[in-house]
Amino acid sequence: MVSASYWKLAVSLSVFGSICLIPDSHGAYTREIVNDKLPLQERPPWLQTCKRSNPNEDKCFRQLFEGCFPALAAGIPEIGVKSFEPLNIDQVSVSKGSGNLVLSGGFQDLVIRGPSNATVRRASLDLERRLLNFELELPRLRIRAKYNLKGNILLLPLVGNGDVAMALKNVHTTVYTRISLRNETRTGDEIIHIDEMKVGFDVGAMRIHLKNLFNGNEILAASINSFLNQNGKEVIAELRPDLELGLADIFHGLWNNVFSKMPTKLWLVQ
């Protein structure tokens, strides 16, 4: 007979995982952004400069990196960079079919508020070793989306579609990337391209609410939402490897879109 504590954990893992997992656990990047705008040819006021020979001197690259965030939050339409605030993700598909947890479906129209409030704790650029790393702290992220799920948790069928709301507090994110220097095909400008990305994160607290679970059965829905909120940090810890792959998939496309429009000649000076 399955214990009550195990059933609670299984429910928490499966539902939270279905919200946050991005498919493609094999490491390929699926969210490259196609943007036909030309790169910048004049340095905008928000883009600082650093020495190419030592971009980290006096924390210059960290200040440059953080200085870009207000412009990214507002969006830069002339180079095809959409606003990061809010961050919109059109769809996340779900496919988890092993053991006691079997789920399929997806999430649509995700709206994430709070990325523009990030504080850059560390940022470094090493052109010789081809490394670009940074750490961000976000005090709060608020996520709203539509969901559609079906499957089984242990012997219990799970069916639901409706709205989901989530709040994450004190999010600490570490991003490690391996880069290459490439020439933009139309202008010949040197740009940075992120070839590989690894993301690590930690969350201080989580609140979540799924509406219309079990076709409106309020008793079962209330129980599952309660379990999720009571075990939030444990759920995140268990799912961290898959969540980190999903975040890397999203960030890889977003940051490559930005760097492809910022020729190094504008911000790495001799």
Side-chain angles (χ1 to χ4, degrees):
M1 186 172 179
V2 180
S3 67
S5 61
Y6 181 78
W7 186 85
K8 291 179 181 180
L9 180 60
V11 171
S12 298
L13 289 175
S14 60
V15 178
F16 185 80
S18 66
I19 293 173
C20 293
L21 291 180
I22 308 292
D24 187 17
S25 60
H26 301 291
Y29 300 112
T30 65
R31 295 177 182 270
E32 296 297 332
I33 297 175
V34 178
N35 177 358
D36 60 1
K37 298 285 188 178
L38 289 173
L40 291 167
Q41 293 302 306
E42 296 183 2
R43 186 175 65 86
W46 49 265
L47 183 58
Q48 301 181 38
T49 60
C50 293
K51 294 180 181 178
R52 187 182 182 100
S53 60
N54 186 5
N56 303 308
E57 184 177 19
D58 297 327
K59 299 182 180 179
C60 183
F61 182 72
R62 174 182 173 237
Q63 295 170 3
L64 180 155
F65 193 75
E66 190 166 38
C68 293
F69 273 72
L72 295 175
I76 314 171
E78 60 268 29
I79 56 173
V81 174
K82 295 182 179 180
S83 171
F84 278 26
E85 184 66 51
L87 179 61
N88 293 281
I89 301 175
D90 56 354
Q91 184 171 338
V92 174
S93 297
V94 175
S95 179
K96 186 172 179 64
S98 62
N100 293 315
L101 308 178
V102 179
L103 286 173
S104 64
F107 294 80
Q108 301 79 37
D109 303 326
L110 291 90
V111 179
I112 305 173
R113 299 185 184 277
S116 64
N117 294 321
T119 299
V120 180
R121 294 303 182 191
R122 182 179 65 87
S124 63
L125 173 63
D126 189 329
L127 292 175
E128 290 187 4
R129 299 172 62 197
R130 299 293 193 261
L131 300 175
L132 192 162
N133 304 323
F134 56 93
E135 294 182 15
L136 304 176
E137 287 190 2
L138 301 103
R140 183 181 178 90
L141 291 176
R142 292 178 291 122
I143 305 168
R144 292 188 178 274
K146 299 288 185 181
Y147 81 94
N148 188 336
L149 290 173
K150 62 180 179 180
N152 292 279
I153 303 172
L154 299 178
L155 300 177
L156 181 67
L158 171 65
V159 178
N161 64 85
D163 298 325
V164 57
M166 184 189 308
L168 304 177
K169 290 185 177 181
N170 300 324
V171 181
H172 181 91
T173 302
T174 306
V175 180
Y176 303 95
T177 76
R178 187 170 296 279
I179 64 172
S180 59
L181 297 175
R182 302 184 179 184
N183 291 326
E184 210 277 340
T185 56
R186 295 164 297 177
T187 65
D189 293 324
E190 182 187 71
I191 58 173
I192 282 180
H193 183 271
I194 296 174
D195 299 327
E196 301 175 24
M197 176 177 285
K198 181 178 180 181
V199 176
F201 77 99
D202 188 48
V203 176
M206 178 192 77
R207 297 291 298 176
I208 185 171
H209 184 74
L210 293 159
K211 292 185 177 180
N212 200 39
L213 279 169
F214 298 102
N215 292 323
N217 186 315
E218 296 296 335
I219 296 176
L220 286 175
S223 297
I224 289 180
N225 281 309
S226 177
F227 294 156
L228 286 169
N229 289 308
Q230 290 174 8
N231 298 285
K233 293 191 70 173
E234 292 80 3
V235 171
I236 292 172
E238 290 290 334
L239 291 171
R240 181 169 284 112
D242 289 316
L243 298 177
E244 289 171 348
L245 284 174
L247 289 172
D249 193 31
I250 295 172
F251 290 165
H252 181 267
L254 289 174
W255 284 110
N256 264 336
N257 188 42
V258 173
F259 283 120
S260 70
K261 307 303 176 185
M262 292 169 47
T264 58
K265 67 182 183 182
L266 298 182
W267 55 277
L268 287 177
V269 298
Q270 300 298 329

